[in-house]
Amino acid sequence: MSELSLKTIIFPAAGLGTRFLPATKACRKELLPIVDKPLIQYAAEEAAVAGFEQIIFIVRKDEKSIARHFSDSPGLRERLAKTKTQQEVDALTRTITPSVTCRYVEQPEALGLGHAVWLARPFIEEQHFAVLLPDDLIDGGSYGGCMSQMMEYYKNNKCGAIGVEEVAESETKKYGIVSTEDSSAKASRITTIVEKPSPEKAPSRLGVVGRYILPTSIMSVIEDTKLGVGGEIQITDAISAILGKERIDAYRFDGIRYDCGSKLGYLQANVAYAMQSEELGVEFSNWLSNEVL
Ligand code: UTP
């Protein structure tokens, strides 16, 4: 195992998505589009740019639509080729860089994020691996993708890292909240982590977002982790259990995060991305300011 190579990233995508019902009754939350691309494709692009070579998708039992999205579609390409250039056909149908290997693991029951991550253990060969939650969409703008920023940090510091951002006091109960050795630093070693604390019990206002680089040793800890908040196996509890042995830093990424697991965040992301869109930006922004606001 090479200390610095980190090639594998896990995309947990087997949650129930209850906040989006009934839209998520038959359609996976991770396939909901932001303008014209599903959330999980933004995630795959962020991972590919950051240099990951293997994505492990954790999917629900008998779930095939995510795999279909990332597989080749010769019939569709052939059809589009009748009226479009090769470049246009590629832009419309290529959903993943060919250098990235996709693997799919079924989570038979939604037993929590910790359990979803643990299912990927047969594919993790290095000392660290990454996890990206596709419903947390992060626009890194000129700073580059959040995972690219975190990989750079990993290469320089050789330790685990978790993406964090400051959250409103009233919001701590929606997040894993960390305290760190130096709360004002861009990155600092995590000393405690608590899942969804009330504002009174929260050790800080630094909330965990869906980007993690974790030591592989956490897999055996997850195995011993009991059901936590919400009756699920929480990754937060396993992280808390290894903090004494492994260095994991909180990393304040640069960029704007949209919580697309919530309706408000999802709508905000659609508006922001539509306004930036080459195809729609001007028309959409004009409509928004003249007809809606
Ligand atoms: P969420 O906490 O957003 O849960 O999961 P959810 O079930 O998807 O959505 P709600 O709360 O019912 O609306 C965060 C991420 O972890 C994955 C989800 O797919 C999402 O990407 N997850 C969660 C799993 O893969 N398996 C689980 O058992 C739980």
Side-chain angles (χ1 to χ4, degrees):
M1 287 200 286
S2 135
E3 174 62 35
L4 271 183
S5 78
L6 202 176
K7 304 286 180 209
T8 302
I9 188 161
I10 304 170
F11 284 6
L16 299 175
T18 53
R19 283 169 291 168
F20 269 97
L21 284 169
T24 46
K25 209 166 158 234
C27 170
R28 299 297 311 142
K29 170 173 70 175
E30 293 77 10
L31 286 173
L32 294 176
I34 301 299
V35 185
D36 53 8
K37 247 194 279 182
L39 279 165
I40 203 153
Q41 191 177 333
Y42 288 95
E45 289 171 5
E46 183 181 329
V49 170
F52 289 95
E53 293 175 6
Q54 172 172 244
I55 301 177
I56 315 293
F57 295 85
I58 309 298
V59 297
R60 285 173 78 178
K61 193 166 180 300
D62 300 325
E63 159 60 40
K64 299 280 178 268
S65 55
I66 292 177
R68 262 205 311 276
H69 179 74
F70 287 107
S71 61
D72 191 18
S73 40
L76 178 62
R77 276 195 286 105
E78 210 173 292
R79 181 72 191 255
L80 292 173
K82 290 185 181 151
T83 53
K84 298 187 186 301
T85 65
Q86 188 55 46
Q87 207 182 358
E88 288 169 331
V89 173
D90 283 348
L92 291 171
T93 59
R94 183 168 285 169
T95 45
I96 193 133
T97 315
S99 61
V100 176
T101 304
C102 297
R103 298 186 193 282
Y104 299 88
V105 177
E106 288 186 1
Q107 185 181 29
E109 236 187 296
L111 292 177
L113 179 56
H115 181 254
V117 167
W118 177 77
L119 289 171
R121 70 200 182 289
F123 300 103
I124 313 288
E125 290 178 348
E126 290 140 346
Q127 289 182 359
H128 287 84
F129 63 93
V131 179
L132 189 159
L133 304 189
D135 56 357
D136 254 343
L137 178 63
I138 298 180
D139 180 0
S142 58
Y143 296 102
C146 181
M147 261 303 165
S148 297
Q149 297 173 37
M150 287 178 60
M151 281 291 266
E152 191 60 30
Y153 186 75
Y154 172 72
K155 281 179 192 150
N156 292 331
N157 295 278
K158 308 173 185 66
C159 65
I162 298 181
V164 295
E165 71 177 6
E166 215 143 291
V167 299
E169 202 179 329
S170 56
E171 298 272 286
T172 58
K173 50 187 175 307
K174 295 185 182 163
Y175 292 86
I177 301 287
V178 299
S179 60
T180 56
E181 286 177 350
D182 179 356
S183 60
S184 57
K186 178 167 175 67
S188 177
R189 185 167 181 161
I190 297 175
T191 47
T192 52
I193 183 165
V194 192
E195 182 66 12
K196 301 188 171 71
S198 62
E200 306 76 56
K201 295 213 172 119
S204 79
R205 280 176 40 199
L206 276 186
V208 171
V209 304
R211 303 290 183 277
Y212 307 76
I213 292 176
L214 296 171
T216 303
S217 60
I218 200 169
M219 290 298 189
S220 55
V221 178
I222 297 175
E223 205 156 315
D224 296 331
T225 301
K226 297 193 175 59
L227 299 182
V229 173
E232 295 187 340
I233 296 177
Q234 299 288 351
I235 192 79
T236 307
D237 294 338
I239 293 170
S240 175
I242 57 165
L243 284 180
K245 286 186 226 111
E246 298 273 3
R247 174 177 158 197
I248 304 180
D249 290 1
Y251 179 85
R252 292 173 192 251
F253 59 92
D254 289 302
I256 304 172
R257 164 186 168 259
Y258 300 94
D259 174 9
C260 294
S262 79
K263 282 180 247 197
L264 181 63
Y266 177 74
L267 292 171
Q268 288 167 336
N270 264 299
V271 171
Y273 278 67
M275 287 176 78
Q276 287 173 29
S277 152
E278 257 178 50
E279 183 190 344
L280 301 173
V282 173
E283 214 177 324
F284 181 74
S285 305
N286 285 341
W287 171 78
L288 204 56
S289 49
N290 297 335
E291 308 284 335
V292 182
L293 302 175

